[in-house]
Amino acid sequence: MKNVPLYLAGEFVQSQTSDWIDVTNPATNEVIARAPAATDAEMRKAIESAADAFRTWKEVPVSERARVMLRYQALLKEHHDEIAEILSQETGKTFDDAKGDVWRGIEVVEHAANVASLMMGETVGNVARSVDTHSWIQPLGVCAGITPFNFPAMIPLWMFPMAIACGNTFILKPSEQDPLTPMRLTELFEEAGAPKGVLQVVHGGKEQVDVLLTDPVIKAVSFVGSVPVGRYIYETGTRNMKRVQSFAGAKNHMVIMPDADKQQVLNALVGASVGAAGQRCMAISVAVFVGEAQSWIPELKEAMTKVRPGAWNDSGASYGPVISPKARERVESLIATGEAQGANLLLDGRGCTVDGLPDGNWIGPTLFSGVTTEMNIYNEEIFGPVLACMEEANLEDAISLINKSPYGNGVSIFTSSGGAARKFQHEIEVGQVGVNIPIPVPLPFFSFTGWKGSFYGDQHAYGKQAVRFYTETKTVTSRWFSSEATAEAEANFSIQ
Ligand code: NAD
């Protein structure tokens, strides 16, 4: 049994806690490790050591900070498969999917290596006679990140490389359900030459998060997770005068116009709804068929019947188990509610089994049609391989349906009409829009721009926005006296 260490002041240490959280393999429910709920003293040590490290790290030239990211990127690439295997063990993701999780994180590290140009300020010479103004972008101090179970490589890598490249130090509290991947990322970060104390990793749940949300040393908090926790983090963090970016749950629609390419639609819908067992914040969970496109639902059912879950290293499996027995029960109970509330259950994934793995948290592909906005399967994020089909008469009605949703993470339209696509992207009130792309996650030189109930805050993850989030702007107005110019400059310096 592996006890997951903490990473404090540049050392991997065993916690002194008596409170341990089991980490399981979701395909077998075997306990593969235990994560500590860090003690108060360990939380204090993380914060103090991050504050100490900030005093020296902020003085390290930006190009040296960028070089740590370059070495880190190379190491992550070198260990890509090995990290993905650890990730598959603790999440159940298929190997390809796990590799994708790591790869999307590597791309953020590449972006973080460009930090120097991202931290350039602005300059205007001669704002008044002999007076110049320039701005500097400076780090905030100690930042913290709290991450969810569903992307244990990508989401920690959304946060600490950007924050640290900007000159901050960082305390990561990864999900207690899959902490082994973030620990491997941490080992490699140390190997890349990150100085001691620049990154700290603590484990636990609400109690440990509350320390991060209330301690005055911490200047900014990044969170990704569910809606209730996301709201709590935003409210508590901002009440404690911190900068907070909080990415929360979602319910993403895909609009299918009758002029779309049917085969593309079917392939996209199957992958985007049941891929990763539906445990993606950008998964498509609602398919909105417009007009004649409704007649494609039987073929969608047929395509979904061919997909099955399985072990991480089973090359025939399309996706893995859900993360825990509790998650499986929740998804199954929502399927039952959908049926009870009158939706047509075309494919029922409850009671799914996988040969040789009788104890896994399996759910088969599940498809509903005739779903309405009053039903729980429409209103709640299911976070399982469940797709709800709805019908609308025209594009206008589809847009109106989606704009009434409290969520705004991702949305997609499949069409061959430029006019329909243009109207959709202009009018839709969702932060990430795909046109003939089912899961439009922006690459790291853009930002991850969820809206409405899917995001609380203003500056988003990665891209230029992350740099703004993790930095402060200092504006300097200066006047240098030279003997001849002095009198004239003094006479003329006035800014109304
Ligand atoms: P979660 O909210 O249960 O947990 C997220 C983190 O918060 C974990 O580190 C956990 O330990 C901590 N936490 C849990 N309860 C807490 C509490 N009461 N107080 C303080 N901290 C607490 O989320 P999850 O189940 O790990 O992740 C799945 C959710 O994350 C889904 O809702 C999904 O949509 C969302 N998500 C959103 C995005 C996005 O970008 N919008 C990306 C990925 C996942």
Side-chain angles (χ1 to χ4, degrees), residues 147-150 173 176 206 223-226 248-249 281 381 383 448:
T147 55
F149 79 82
N150 69 326
K173 204 300 287 171
E176 65 282 19
K206 181 177 187 316
F223 169 83
V224 179
S226 60
C281 66
E381 182 184 41
F383 229 51
F448 188 93

Side-chain angles (χ1 to χ4, degrees), residues 146-151 154-155 158 173-177 204-207 209-210 213 223-227 229-230 232-233 247-250 280-282 381 383 409 448 454-455:
I146 299 134
T147 55
F149 79 82
N150 69 326
F151 282 100
M154 177 185 83
I155 294 180
W158 277 8
K173 204 300 287 171
S175 170
E176 65 282 19
Q177 299 191 86
K206 181 177 187 316
E207 211 178 299
V209 170
D210 281 344
L213 291 176
F223 169 83
V224 179
S226 60
V227 167
V229 183
Y232 170 76
I233 300 273
F247 298 82
R280 290 177 178 141
C281 66
M282 289 289 280
E381 182 184 41
F383 229 51
N409 219 30
F448 188 93
S454 298
F455 177 70

Side-chain angles (χ1 to χ4, degrees), residues 368-425:
F368 281 105
S369 68
V371 175
T372 63
T373 53
E374 298 76 38
M375 296 177 181
N376 294 42
I377 52 167
Y378 179 73
N379 291 309
E380 286 180 40
E381 182 184 41
I382 302 176
F383 229 51
V386 180
L387 179 62
C389 297
M390 302 176 81
E391 290 104 42
E392 291 293 351
N394 52 46
L395 179 60
E396 199 75 49
D397 291 351
I399 292 174
S400 155
L401 167 83
I402 296 165
N403 285 353
K404 284 189 196 114
S405 167
Y407 298 103
N409 219 30
V411 74
S412 164
I413 184 169
F414 272 64
T415 182
S416 56
S417 156
R422 204 280 164 183
K423 176 181 169 67
F424 184 77
Q425 60 193 273

Side-chain angles (χ1 to χ4, degrees), residues 122-322:
E122 296 170 316
T123 306
V124 176
N126 228 33
V127 289
R129 281 189 177 72
S130 297
V131 177
D132 305 321
T133 298
H134 67 267
S135 60
W136 280 352
I137 310 294
Q138 295 194 320
L140 293 176
V142 181
C143 303
I146 299 134
T147 55
F149 79 82
N150 69 326
F151 282 100
M154 177 185 83
I155 294 180
L157 292 173
W158 277 8
M159 298 178 182
F160 73 81
M162 292 300 301
I164 291 173
C166 287
N168 301 286
T169 56
F170 200 86
I171 303 174
L172 174 68
K173 204 300 287 171
S175 170
E176 65 282 19
Q177 299 191 86
D178 45 18
L180 299 173
T181 305
M183 289 322 288
R184 187 68 190 119
L185 300 179
T186 305
E187 287 166 1
L188 293 171
F189 194 54
E190 188 182 76
E191 209 176 313
K196 281 185 189 305
V198 161
L199 174 66
Q200 321 275 327
V201 186
V202 294
H203 302 288
K206 181 177 187 316
E207 211 178 299
Q208 289 67 30
V209 170
D210 281 344
V211 174
L212 302 174
L213 291 176
T214 51
D215 193 292
V217 169
I218 290 165
K219 301 296 177 234
V221 175
S222 301
F223 169 83
V224 179
S226 60
V227 167
V229 183
R231 292 183 68 103
Y232 170 76
I233 300 273
Y234 189 75
E235 287 167 3
T236 314
T238 52
R239 204 176 324 114
N240 284 278
M241 311 309 284
K242 297 182 198 317
R243 205 174 268 198
V244 180
Q245 52 174 197
S246 181
F247 298 82
K251 198 80 190 173
N252 307 308
H253 300 70
M254 180 165 130
V255 174
I256 300 109
M257 299 300 288
D259 61 9
D261 179 317
K262 183 167 67 176
Q263 204 46 54
Q264 293 283 356
V265 166
L266 299 180
N267 294 345
L269 265 179
V270 175
S273 60
V274 305
Q279 299 177 118
R280 290 177 178 141
C281 66
M282 289 289 280
I284 294 293
S285 50
V286 183
V288 184
F289 289 89
V290 173
E292 289 301 301
Q294 293 167 36
S295 64
W296 302 349
I297 293 177
E299 282 166 87
L300 173 62
K301 176 182 166 181
E302 208 184 304
M304 283 180 77
T305 317
K306 293 182 187 141
V307 172
R308 63 170 180 85
W312 71 276
N313 54 358
D314 169 355
S315 58
S318 303
Y319 64 92
V322 294

